[in-house]
Amino acid sequence: MISRLTQLVSVFAAAAVLVLGAAGAQAGGIAPKVIIDKSKGECVLPAEQMKRQHMKILKHRRDATMYQGVRGGKRSLQACLSCHAVKGDDGKPVTIKSEKHFCRTCHDYVAVRPDCWDCHVSVPDKAAGRAALKHRAGTMRAEASGLIKYLEGGRK
Amino acid sequence: MTSHSPDTRVDEARREFMKKSAAAGVIALAPGVTLMTMSSEAAAKADPKKRWGMLIDTTVCKSGCDKCVAACKAENGWEAKAGSPTDPQWIRKVDVKDPKTGFAMSLPVMCQHCANPPCVDVCPTGASMKRADGIVLVNRHICIGCRYCMMACPYKARSFEHHEVPEEEKAPWAPRGQGTVEACTMCVHRVDAGGIPACAEACDKGAILFGDLNDPDSDISKRLASGPSYQIRADLGADPGVRYARLP
């Protein structure tokens, strides 16, 4: 009987700790606060999935680009950077050197340091945006002309 | 046997891939023509029916002109200081002279995008690769910088990035970084978008012709069919996709 009572007490105690812990996390907590500008549209996947899967999405996309030439669209690294740009004091998007950079907020906290920025730019590039637009128009033209060629060839 | 052999792991990866491919929609437009839609992802551009190549007309290429080299540097963000033994070099102008006759000519040499690339054969990680459309690339994500490919290349087309690339010098479409091997990509980012390489665009003498070697109706194939052209060191059997016209 006594042992049963201690068991109950310990269960209650554990529950109380859990509740207190949750309240603590809600009131600021120790996890980093991620600043997100939601004005540019939805992410590739819902936030909960992005938190866990973004590295897989990036690696999948990286291979698709390297081996198959898949480019542009929401999953490109440039798209991540342009939606998730964080402005610094000078009004310009901050580079990866700044602690405020979107991709550093969590990474600094969990101590992961991907080497992506050795090669990739860490800010959205206006010129890149223009080039990407031009690219897209060019691609569509090329695709359309290929299709026309095929259809005309078929008619002969 | 409880642990996975490497083979079963490959099979698993393949099965995953097949599942994903099956989930992607395939729209048939006409027999033989399909549009693949990977859930909001853009379509694959590396077409196995194509083989991209270049034809360089050495009769119009002039010694001292380096517009193609300058265009490559600007497009891909590399710089080679004169006399530096370690700076990257994606394309260079070579002046050659026959000492017996005195005949001299000038030509650009870059990655020759071989059909049987020796650089791919020797790569220990699979980073050195040939795309389905014949473009030879370094997948710098898995390059460990061992430089075997640089030793294997008969054209000395690849170089190693020894220095850190500063943020302001990075081009979003052509990432480059310290510790990896790099070379001419045939401006794959432009080609995938229906464009032509920066060097071909920059040559105002029209000495660089870019196109699909597999398409008999392309300008490059017609030019190749109409006169003699050469591959540098064709005897090695690498079958370069870059051809030179009227090379003695």
Side-chain angles (χ1 to χ4, degrees):
Chain A
M1 187 64 200
I2 289 167
S3 75
R4 179 130 186 101
L5 196 69
T6 33
Q7 237 178 17
L8 265 176
V9 167
S10 59
V11 164
F12 274 118
V17 167
L18 271 179
V19 168
L20 277 175
Q26 256 163 16
I30 50 166
K33 180 153 172 32
V34 185
I35 304 160
I36 296 176
D37 169 13
K38 297 195 180 179
S39 67
K40 288 180 186 148
E42 278 175 22
C43 201
V44 176
L45 291 173
E48 281 317 305
Q49 263 165 296
M50 285 313 287
K51 281 185 199 172
R52 292 175 180 81
Q53 311 273 338
H54 64 277
M55 57 301 271
K56 289 190 187 139
I57 293 171
L58 286 167
K59 282 179 184 166
H60 176 77
R61 169 55 188 246
R62 174 189 88 178
D63 290 348
T65 302
M66 291 309 306
Y67 299 113
Q68 288 150 355
V70 173
R71 278 161 212 280
K74 241 186 185 177
R75 285 168 193 233
S76 76
L77 195 55
Q78 266 296 316
C80 319
L81 293 171
S82 65
C83 275
H84 288 296
V86 176
K87 290 217 169 69
D89 297 334
D90 57 357
K92 284 196 212 130
V94 295
T95 69
I96 201 72
K97 289 202 187 81
S98 159
E99 280 178 6
K100 286 203 274 179
H101 192 283
F102 175 74
C103 304
R104 266 186 70 177
T105 42
C106 313
H107 291 179
D108 281 0
Y109 176 68
V110 293
V112 286
R113 194 180 161 274
D115 68 352
C116 320
W117 321 111
D118 284 3
C119 298
H120 291 278
V121 275
S122 61
V123 288
D125 192 291
K126 285 208 191 72
R130 269 203 303 278
L133 272 178
K134 221 168 72 195
H135 277 175
R136 224 166 293 140
T139 314
M140 275 158 71
R141 262 199 308 282
E143 271 172 1
S145 73
L147 193 59
I148 289 165
K149 211 166 155 190
Y150 173 84
L151 293 172
E152 280 174 348
R155 219 185 287 136
K156 258 183 241 157
Chain B
M1 202 193 74
T2 44
S3 69
H4 286 301
S5 75
D7 285 0
T8 45
R9 240 178 291 144
V10 168
D11 275 342
E12 264 164 27
R14 188 176 299 145
R15 227 169 288 137
E16 260 312 296
F17 175 72
M18 297 302 269
K19 261 193 270 169
K20 280 186 195 129
S21 317
V26 178
I27 309 165
L29 295 175
V33 182
T34 48
L35 264 188
M36 284 264 269
T37 47
M38 279 269 192
S39 65
S40 89
E41 249 189 293
K45 290 288 166 347
D47 181 352
K49 289 194 210 67
K50 290 194 163 78
R51 170 146 191 233
W52 295 119
M54 292 200 261
L55 174 62
I56 292 158
D57 189 341
T58 52
T59 57
V60 293
C61 183
K62 290 279 169 295
S63 175
C65 170
D66 70 344
K67 285 207 174 76
C68 53
V69 180
C72 181
K73 284 180 180 169
E75 178 75 19
N76 296 299
W78 57 276
E79 186 50 61
K81 278 167 234 80
S84 164
T86 51
D87 278 357
Q89 214 173 41
W90 290 26
I91 176 172
R92 62 178 165 278
K93 279 298 294 294
V94 178
D95 288 329
V96 288
K97 190 172 172 185
D98 183 342
K100 291 204 178 86
T101 63
F103 175 75
M105 63 174 187
S106 182
L107 60 156
V109 178
M110 68 295 266
C111 170
Q112 304 285 299
H113 298 280
C114 306
N116 311 311
C119 56
V120 174
D121 290 345
V122 299
C123 179
T125 69
S128 192
M129 55 170 267
K130 189 177 73 169
R131 267 187 14 155
D133 55 7
I135 299 180
V136 176
L137 296 172
V138 182
N139 181 351
R140 275 162 276 176
H141 299 105
I142 50 176
C143 173
I144 54 170
C146 75
R147 290 164 265 181
Y148 281 7
C149 57
M150 287 171 61
M151 303 302 289
C153 177
Y155 307 103
K156 224 181 161 192
R158 284 192 171 173
S159 49
F160 183 72
E161 180 50 61
H162 289 258
H163 309 287
E164 219 171 280
V165 180
E167 180 87 24
E168 359 20 290
E169 284 173 25
K170 288 178 189 150
W173 50 85
R176 302 176 50 245
Q178 187 176 30
T180 54
V181 173
E182 52 189 29
C184 158
T185 63
M186 225 186 241
C187 283
V188 64
H189 56 288
R190 284 166 157 253
V191 172
D192 281 347
I196 64 169
C199 56
E201 194 176 277
C203 181
D204 49 9
K205 299 182 190 70
I208 305 179
L209 183 59
F210 168 84
D212 181 7
L213 300 173
N214 282 352
D215 173 8
D217 293 328
S218 66
D219 288 346
I220 188 168
S221 295
K222 285 184 197 153
R223 275 283 301 279
L224 284 167
S226 70
S229 66
Y230 304 84
Q231 296 169 323
I232 302 179
R233 289 301 306 268
D235 57 312
L236 295 172
D239 188 8
V242 178
R243 315 285 164 90
Y244 293 82
R246 280 170 244 173
L247 192 84

